Every structure is written in structure tokens, then in C-alpha cells.
């Protein structure tokens, strides 16, 4: 898409993704940037259709979501997020041992409070890391899915302090 027509098309670099490689009590959010060749979002809308006998067409409604974040990355051991995901596959982690807090930050939607610099609209997910491949003939890649566990929490994320504030605590942010 061209932006020459005055459209402000959001670009991929206007999203920032962070994986908590610490604990829930002491989060340590690592940027999922260098090394990641893809990191997408598939909301996975679930629908239900019903057609009544007196209607020609069915009616569909959204009943839920099964959000998945497919990713591919080069295995760069200095990149904490990649190393954490690699370790899930390497060590065959299951259940809560394969779960992380994951924050998707919308850098194109800053908080409008001038006292809150580097703070943007964000969503925090709990995800289970499904590592499907650790492969490569020369360079090693780690790939798989981050599968959402339950509902996300809306809020804001400060990219300098690397802290997430849930919406009920946030005062602004377009959330």
C-alpha cells in the first residue's frame, strides 16, 4: 500500500513485542526484535452460524477468539527472548513451565499525558510457547507459536522502564 494518497498505514516496526524472561513478581521484559524474522498476530475469531427455515442466508456471529502469534527467529543466544523460547523446546517444557507473559505494544498509539513519555497502548497476554522447530543447515532457527491462554489485559507499556500498567491503573493511552 502506498502512503502517497495521504493514508497513514501502520507499518510492522510500529509494533514492539516483549517477552517476560523474569518472573511474574519480578518481570524482566526482553524486546523481541533482533533475530525475529516474523512475529505475527492471528486473532483466530471463532464463529457460529445459524440459518432459520424462513431465511435464504445464514447469520454468523463471533463467539470467541483463539489468538496465536506465529514466529520465526534466528537463534542468537544473546537475545534473551529467543534463548528463553529455545530452552522451552530444548528442555521439552510443558504446562506452566512453557508459559510467558507477552506484551504487544502499539508504538503508533502513545499516551497523551505529557508527563508519561515513552508510554504506549499495549495488551498483555499469557502465552504458551509451542516450539515446533529448531532447525537449519548453517544458521539455526527457532520457530513456533505463542498461543494465548485466556483473555488479554489492556493497558499501557513504558518502553524505557519496560513496565506494563493495566488499564484500570492507567490514566490514559487510548485503551
Amino acid at each position: 500500500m502506498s502512503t502517497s494518497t495521504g493514508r497513514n498505514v501502520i507499518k510492522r516496526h510500529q509494533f514492539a513485542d516483549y517477552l517476560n524472561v523474569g518472573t511474574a513478581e519480578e518481570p524482566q521484559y526482553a524486546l523481541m526484535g533482533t533475530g525475529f524474522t516474523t512475529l505475527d498476530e492471528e486473532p483466530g475469531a471463532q464463529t457460529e452460524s445459524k440459518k432459520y427455515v424462513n431465511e435464504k442466508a445464514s447469520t454468523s456471529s463471533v463467539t470467541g477468539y483463539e489468538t496465536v502469534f506465529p514466529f520465526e527467529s534466528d537463534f542468537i543466544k544473546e537475545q534473551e527472548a529467543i534463548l528463553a523460547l529455545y530452552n522451552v523446546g530444548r528442555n521439552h517444557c510443558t504446562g506452566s513451565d512453557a508459559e510467558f507473559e507477552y506484551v504487544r505494544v502499539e508504538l503508533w498509539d502513545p499516551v497523551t499525558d505529557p508527563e508519561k513519555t515513552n508510554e504506549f497502548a499495549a495488551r498483555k497476554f499469557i502465552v504458551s510457547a509451542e516450539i515446533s522447530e529448531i532447525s537449519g543447515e548453517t544458521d539455526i532457527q527457532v520457530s513456533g507459536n505463542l498461543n494465548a491462554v485466556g483473555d488479554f489485559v489492556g493497558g499501557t507499556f513504558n518502553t524505557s522502564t519496560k513496565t506494563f500498567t493495566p488499564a484500570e491503573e492507567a490514566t490514559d493511552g487510548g485503551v
Side-chain angles (χ1 to χ4, degrees), residues 84-139:
L85 294 171
Y86 165 79
N87 282 330
V88 167
R90 178 198 180 278
N91 298 328
H92 293 197
C93 296
T94 60
S96 62
D97 291 337
E99 291 180 356
F100 295 90
E101 291 178 337
Y102 165 69
V103 178
R104 182 154 256 218
V105 183
E106 298 166 347
L107 299 174
W108 47 270
D109 191 5
V111 171
T112 55
D113 184 340
E115 293 182 20
K116 295 189 174 189
T117 58
N118 300 313
E119 201 156 322
F120 303 89
R123 294 170 294 151
K124 181 170 77 170
F125 296 82
I126 302 298
V127 294
S128 63
E130 169 197 340
I131 308 306
S132 55
E133 268 190 82
I134 300 170
S135 62
E137 289 185 31
T138 54
D139 294 344

Side-chain angles (χ1 to χ4, degrees), residues 63-85:
T63 58
Y65 290 88
E66 290 183 19
T67 304
V68 175
F69 300 92
F71 72 90
E72 291 181 6
S73 65
D74 291 331
F75 183 21
I76 301 172
K77 68 178 182 174
E78 294 80 14
Q79 295 298 315
E80 293 175 290
I82 296 171
L83 184 59
L85 294 171

Side-chain angles (χ1 to χ4, degrees), residues 7 10 35 38 41 45 85 108 119 132-133 157 164 174:
R7 296 182 187 167
I10 303 300
T38 61
E41 179 176 354
L85 294 171
W108 47 270
E119 201 156 322
S132 55
E133 268 190 82
F157 189 82
F164 177 82

Side-chain angles (χ1 to χ4, degrees), residues 19 32 41 45 49 56 69 100 132 139 152 161-162 166 171:
L19 192 70
M32 300 169 80
E41 179 176 354
S49 294
K56 290 182 182 179
F69 300 92
F100 295 90
S132 55
D139 294 344
F152 71 85
T161 62
K162 293 186 174 68
T171 57

